[in-house]
Amino acid sequence: MKDTIIITDLTRFQKEGKVCIAGYSQRQKKIIRPLFSEQMTNAYLDQKVCEQHNILPGTRLSGDFESMNHQSPHHEDHLVRGTLNVDTPAAKEEFLAVLQATSCETLNLGFGCSINDKVIPLGIGVYYIAVHYVAA
């Protein structure tokens, strides 16, 4: 479905120079995580592409996003069909409103399931930090 999202989350992986992004569709009132392949090794954007096109939290991206119909916690996964376009950034008031609309009290509510079943053991070298930043 053709839509526009405002990027709310950007996670840079430690290896391979890849970036995972997610954004909010104001029209559909849901989070979309654009993936570029069903094979996870090719699913994510290159960090260099994000740098070249200034893709940051607050950036608008438009494209044709097809739901992959995954269950929680990955119900937001959508395949990008065709070209993904970088549009004008959201105004800071609009970005703040999107962050407020997508905030949750707990991780379980945010992911729509219990996260206790998916735990990455300490010492494996994997870190995930989601930070919502709003410029003053």
Side-chain angles (χ1 to χ4, degrees), residues 1 5 8 12 17 27 30 38 44-45 53 65 70 97 100 107 111 131 133-134:
M1 167 183 291
I5 61 173
T8 56
R12 183 174 47 94
R27 188 174 85 205
K30 70 177 187 177
E38 292 186 48
Y44 303 104
L45 281 174
H53 297 283
F65 305 105
H70 290 165
Q100 290 170 334
L107 290 173
F111 284 108
V131 177
Y133 172 78
V134 179

Side-chain angles (χ1 to χ4, degrees), residues 92-126:
K92 73 177 183 179
E93 296 82 13
E94 183 179 20
F95 185 50
L96 179 58
V98 165
L99 293 179
Q100 290 170 334
T102 58
S103 295
C104 294
E105 294 287 323
T106 67
L107 290 173
N108 288 346
L109 285 173
F111 284 108
C113 65
S114 171
I115 62 165
N116 295 330
D117 297 334
K118 186 173 181 178
V119 176
I120 298 171
L122 291 175
I124 200 167
V126 177

Side-chain angles (χ1 to χ4, degrees), residues 16-19 36 44-51 55:
E16 301 176 25
K18 298 291 185 176
V19 175
F36 298 90
Y44 303 104
L45 281 174
D46 287 322
Q47 182 178 344
K48 290 180 182 178
V49 170
C50 288
E51 291 169 359
I55 299 173

Side-chain angles (χ1 to χ4, degrees), residues 5 9 54 59 87 100 106:
I5 61 173
D9 297 273
N54 204 29
T59 300
D87 300 330
Q100 290 170 334
T106 67

Side-chain angles (χ1 to χ4, degrees), residues 17-94:
K18 298 291 185 176
V19 175
C20 178
I21 58 175
Y24 184 67
S25 163
Q26 292 175 303
R27 188 174 85 205
Q28 297 184 66
K29 306 280 191 246
K30 70 177 187 177
I31 298 290
I32 291 176
R33 179 168 73 149
L35 299 174
F36 298 90
S37 170
E38 292 186 48
Q39 286 73 43
M40 296 315 279
T41 55
N42 298 320
Y44 303 104
L45 281 174
D46 287 322
Q47 182 178 344
K48 290 180 182 178
V49 170
C50 288
E51 291 169 359
Q52 289 170 345
H53 297 283
N54 204 29
I55 299 173
L56 302 166
T59 300
R60 286 181 210 274
L61 299 178
S62 60
D64 190 355
F65 305 105
E66 179 185 324
S67 176
M68 296 175 77
N69 297 314
H70 290 165
Q71 298 298 314
S72 292
H74 299 292
H75 57 87
E76 74 279 4
D77 291 352
H78 286 66
L79 280 175
V80 175
R81 298 292 186 194
T83 303
L84 186 65
N85 298 302
V86 179
D87 300 330
T88 58
K92 73 177 183 179
E93 296 82 13
E94 183 179 20

